[in-house]
Amino acid sequence: MAPLEDWVRERNRFYDPGFVSKDPGFHHAHITVLAPLHEWNLGAISAIAQRTPPFDIVLNEVDVFRNGIIHLIPTPGAPLRELTRQVWAAHPSVVPNGAPSPTPHLTLDAVSTTVDLASTRRAIAALLPAHHHVFEMQLVWYESGNCHEMHRWRLGGHETMSP
Protein backbone atom coordinates (compact mmCIF):
# COMPACT_ATOMS: atom_id res chain seq x y z
CA MET A 1 0.00 0.00 0.00
CA ALA A 2 3.05 2.22 -0.10
CA PRO A 3 1.78 4.40 -2.96
CA LEU A 4 -1.34 5.21 -0.94
CA GLU A 5 0.29 5.58 2.50
CA ASP A 6 1.26 9.25 2.16
CA TRP A 7 -2.12 10.19 0.67
CA VAL A 8 -4.14 8.47 3.41
CA ARG A 9 -1.86 9.84 6.15
CA GLU A 10 -2.43 13.38 4.86
CA ARG A 11 -6.22 12.90 4.80
CA ASN A 12 -6.01 11.70 8.43
CA ARG A 13 -3.94 14.79 9.28
CA PHE A 14 -6.54 17.02 7.57
CA TYR A 15 -9.38 15.67 9.73
CA ASP A 16 -7.52 15.17 13.02
CA PRO A 17 -3.70 15.32 13.36
CA GLY A 18 -4.05 12.98 16.34
CA PHE A 19 -4.82 10.13 13.94
CA VAL A 20 -1.37 10.41 12.37
CA SER A 21 0.58 7.76 14.21
CA LYS A 22 4.21 8.04 15.22
CA ASP A 23 4.35 4.22 15.52
CA PRO A 24 6.59 2.97 12.67
CA GLY A 25 4.60 -0.29 12.46
CA PHE A 26 1.29 1.49 11.99
CA HIS A 27 -0.04 1.63 8.43
CA HIS A 28 -2.48 4.46 7.68
CA ALA A 29 -3.29 2.89 4.30
CA HIS A 30 -4.57 -0.57 5.17
CA ILE A 31 -7.35 -2.99 4.33
CA THR A 32 -9.90 -3.18 7.11
CA VAL A 33 -10.91 -6.80 7.67
CA LEU A 34 -13.15 -6.24 10.70
CA ALA A 35 -13.83 -3.21 12.90
CA PRO A 36 -14.34 -2.23 15.58
CA LEU A 37 -12.76 -4.96 17.70
CA HIS A 38 -13.03 -3.95 21.35
CA GLU A 39 -12.15 -7.41 22.62
CA TRP A 40 -10.07 -9.86 20.65
CA ASN A 41 -9.24 -13.53 20.58
CA LEU A 42 -5.52 -13.47 19.76
CA GLY A 43 -5.32 -17.28 19.59
CA ALA A 44 -8.11 -17.45 17.01
CA ILE A 45 -6.59 -14.67 14.91
CA SER A 46 -3.19 -16.38 15.05
CA ALA A 47 -4.72 -19.67 13.86
CA ILE A 48 -6.54 -17.87 11.02
CA ALA A 49 -3.30 -16.19 9.93
CA GLN A 50 -1.35 -19.45 10.05
CA ARG A 51 -3.79 -21.25 7.76
CA THR A 52 -4.15 -18.34 5.29
CA PRO A 53 -1.52 -18.21 2.56
CA PRO A 54 -0.24 -14.82 1.38
CA PHE A 55 -1.97 -13.45 -1.73
CA ASP A 56 -1.93 -10.52 -4.14
CA ILE A 57 -4.57 -7.83 -4.59
CA VAL A 58 -5.12 -4.83 -6.80
CA LEU A 59 -6.78 -1.63 -5.59
CA ASN A 60 -8.31 0.32 -8.44
CA GLU A 61 -12.08 0.70 -7.88
CA VAL A 62 -13.19 3.65 -5.75
CA ASP A 63 -16.65 3.40 -4.17
CA VAL A 64 -18.64 4.91 -1.30
CA PHE A 65 -20.53 3.21 1.52
CA ARG A 66 -24.00 4.43 2.49
CA ASN A 67 -22.46 6.12 5.52
CA GLY A 68 -20.30 8.32 3.24
CA ILE A 69 -16.97 6.55 3.67
CA ILE A 70 -15.09 6.64 0.37
CA HIS A 71 -12.96 3.55 -0.08
CA LEU A 72 -11.04 1.30 -2.44
CA ILE A 73 -12.32 -2.19 -3.19
CA PRO A 74 -9.63 -4.90 -3.28
CA THR A 75 -9.70 -7.42 -6.11
CA PRO A 76 -9.82 -10.28 -6.07
CA GLY A 77 -12.09 -9.91 -3.09
CA ALA A 78 -12.49 -13.56 -2.14
CA PRO A 79 -9.31 -13.96 -0.02
CA LEU A 80 -10.09 -10.88 2.07
CA ARG A 81 -13.78 -11.74 2.39
CA GLU A 82 -12.72 -15.17 3.68
CA LEU A 83 -10.37 -13.57 6.22
CA THR A 84 -13.21 -11.29 7.30
CA ARG A 85 -15.62 -14.22 7.58
CA GLN A 86 -13.20 -16.15 9.79
CA VAL A 87 -12.23 -13.22 12.02
CA TRP A 88 -15.90 -12.25 12.42
CA ALA A 89 -16.80 -15.86 13.31
CA ALA A 90 -14.20 -15.64 16.09
CA HIS A 91 -15.70 -12.30 17.23
CA PRO A 92 -19.47 -12.67 16.63
CA SER A 93 -20.44 -9.74 18.88
CA VAL A 94 -18.77 -7.20 16.56
CA VAL A 95 -21.16 -4.76 14.90
CA PRO A 96 -19.28 -3.67 11.77
CA ASN A 97 -18.74 0.05 11.12
CA GLY A 98 -21.12 1.42 8.53
CA ALA A 99 -22.35 -1.83 7.01
CA PRO A 100 -24.77 -4.67 7.77
CA SER A 101 -21.82 -7.03 7.31
CA PRO A 102 -18.09 -6.36 7.22
CA THR A 103 -16.67 -5.46 3.81
CA PRO A 104 -12.89 -5.49 3.30
CA HIS A 105 -11.84 -2.07 2.06
CA LEU A 106 -9.19 0.64 2.20
CA THR A 107 -10.66 3.85 3.60
CA LEU A 108 -9.72 6.95 1.62
CA ASP A 109 -11.95 9.80 2.77
CA ALA A 110 -15.48 10.81 3.75
CA VAL A 111 -18.17 12.59 1.77
CA SER A 112 -18.55 16.24 2.81
CA THR A 113 -19.42 19.57 1.28
CA THR A 114 -15.97 19.63 -0.37
CA VAL A 115 -15.30 15.91 -0.94
CA ASP A 116 -17.24 13.45 -3.05
CA LEU A 117 -16.65 10.25 -4.98
CA ALA A 118 -15.63 12.07 -8.17
CA SER A 119 -13.18 14.43 -6.44
CA THR A 120 -11.56 11.52 -4.61
CA ARG A 121 -11.25 9.52 -7.83
CA ARG A 122 -9.49 12.48 -9.45
CA ALA A 123 -7.22 13.04 -6.44
CA ILE A 124 -5.86 9.48 -6.37
CA ALA A 125 -5.98 8.63 -10.09
CA ALA A 126 -2.19 8.78 -10.42
CA LEU A 127 -1.79 6.26 -7.57
CA LEU A 128 -3.99 3.62 -9.16
CA PRO A 129 -3.96 0.79 -9.81
CA ALA A 130 -2.11 -0.09 -6.60
CA HIS A 131 -0.77 -3.64 -6.45
CA HIS A 132 -0.11 -5.20 -3.06
CA HIS A 133 1.16 -8.52 -1.72
CA VAL A 134 -0.84 -9.33 1.44
CA PHE A 135 1.45 -11.23 3.79
CA GLU A 136 0.35 -10.20 7.28
CA MET A 137 -2.56 -9.13 9.48
CA GLN A 138 -2.32 -6.48 12.15
CA LEU A 139 -4.44 -5.59 15.13
CA VAL A 140 -4.33 -1.81 15.50
CA TRP A 141 -5.79 0.68 17.94
CA TYR A 142 -7.42 3.87 16.59
CA GLU A 143 -7.76 6.75 19.00
CA SER A 144 -6.76 10.35 18.46
CA GLY A 145 -3.28 10.75 19.91
CA ASN A 146 -2.89 7.01 20.42
CA CYS A 147 -2.98 5.16 17.09
CA HIS A 148 -0.64 2.19 17.27
CA GLU A 149 -0.05 -1.40 16.23
CA MET A 150 -0.97 -3.87 18.94
CA HIS A 151 -0.13 -7.18 17.30
CA ARG A 152 0.96 -8.60 13.96
CA TRP A 153 0.66 -12.05 12.40
CA ARG A 154 2.46 -13.33 9.31
CA LEU A 155 0.11 -15.14 6.91
CA GLY A 156 0.78 -18.79 6.13
CA GLY A 157 3.49 -19.08 8.74
CA HIS A 158 3.91 -20.14 12.30
CA GLU A 159 5.50 -16.90 13.33
CA THR A 160 3.61 -14.47 15.54
CA MET A 161 5.16 -11.02 15.68
CA SER A 162 4.50 -8.32 18.22
CA PRO A 163 5.56 -4.69 17.95
Side-chain angles (χ1 to χ4, degrees):
M1 312 286 165
L4 295 165
E5 178 66 15
D6 291 342
W7 197 89
V8 172
R9 185 184 313 109
E10 287 311 308
R11 293 314 293 163
N12 286 349
R13 185 182 321 281
F14 173 78
Y15 288 107
D16 182 344
F19 281 98
V20 176
S21 179
K22 293 179 183 5
D23 178 351
F26 187 87
H27 299 284
H28 298 85
H30 64 276
I31 303 291
T32 301
V33 172
L34 184 65
L37 276 181
H38 297 290
E39 296 178 18
W40 40 87
N41 181 335
L42 297 180
I45 297 172
S46 179
I48 293 164
Q50 286 179 22
R51 66 178 172 255
T52 303
F55 54 93
D56 293 317
I57 60 169
V58 177
L59 297 156
N60 196 37
E61 184 180 349
V62 184
D63 202 358
V64 63
F65 288 125
R66 286 180 290 192
N67 68 355
I69 296 299
I70 302 170
H71 61 279
L72 283 165
I73 300 170
T75 57
L80 285 161
R81 284 192 304 271
E82 180 57 21
L83 269 178
T84 294
R85 185 195 67 73
Q86 290 183 50
V87 173
W88 199 15
H91 303 86
S93 64
V94 171
V95 178
N97 284 337
S101 64
T103 304
H105 65 281
L106 188 149
T107 299
L108 294 171
D109 214 324
V111 172
S112 70
T113 57
T114 59
V115 175
D116 62 18
L117 189 56
S119 67
T120 303
R121 283 181 175 147
R122 284 189 304 274
I124 65 163
L127 302 176
L128 301 179
H131 299 265
H132 185 67
H133 181 66
V134 179
F135 63 93
E136 68 182 15
M137 286 195 316
Q138 295 178 324
L139 178 61
V140 296
W141 186 259
Y142 274 92
E143 177 183 15
S144 185
N146 190 25
C147 294
H148 63 279
E149 176 186 328
M150 297 173 63
H151 210 81
R152 180 188 315 192
W153 299 267
R154 192 167 296 282
L155 296 183
H158 302 289
E159 181 181 349
T160 299
M161 305 174 292
S162 295

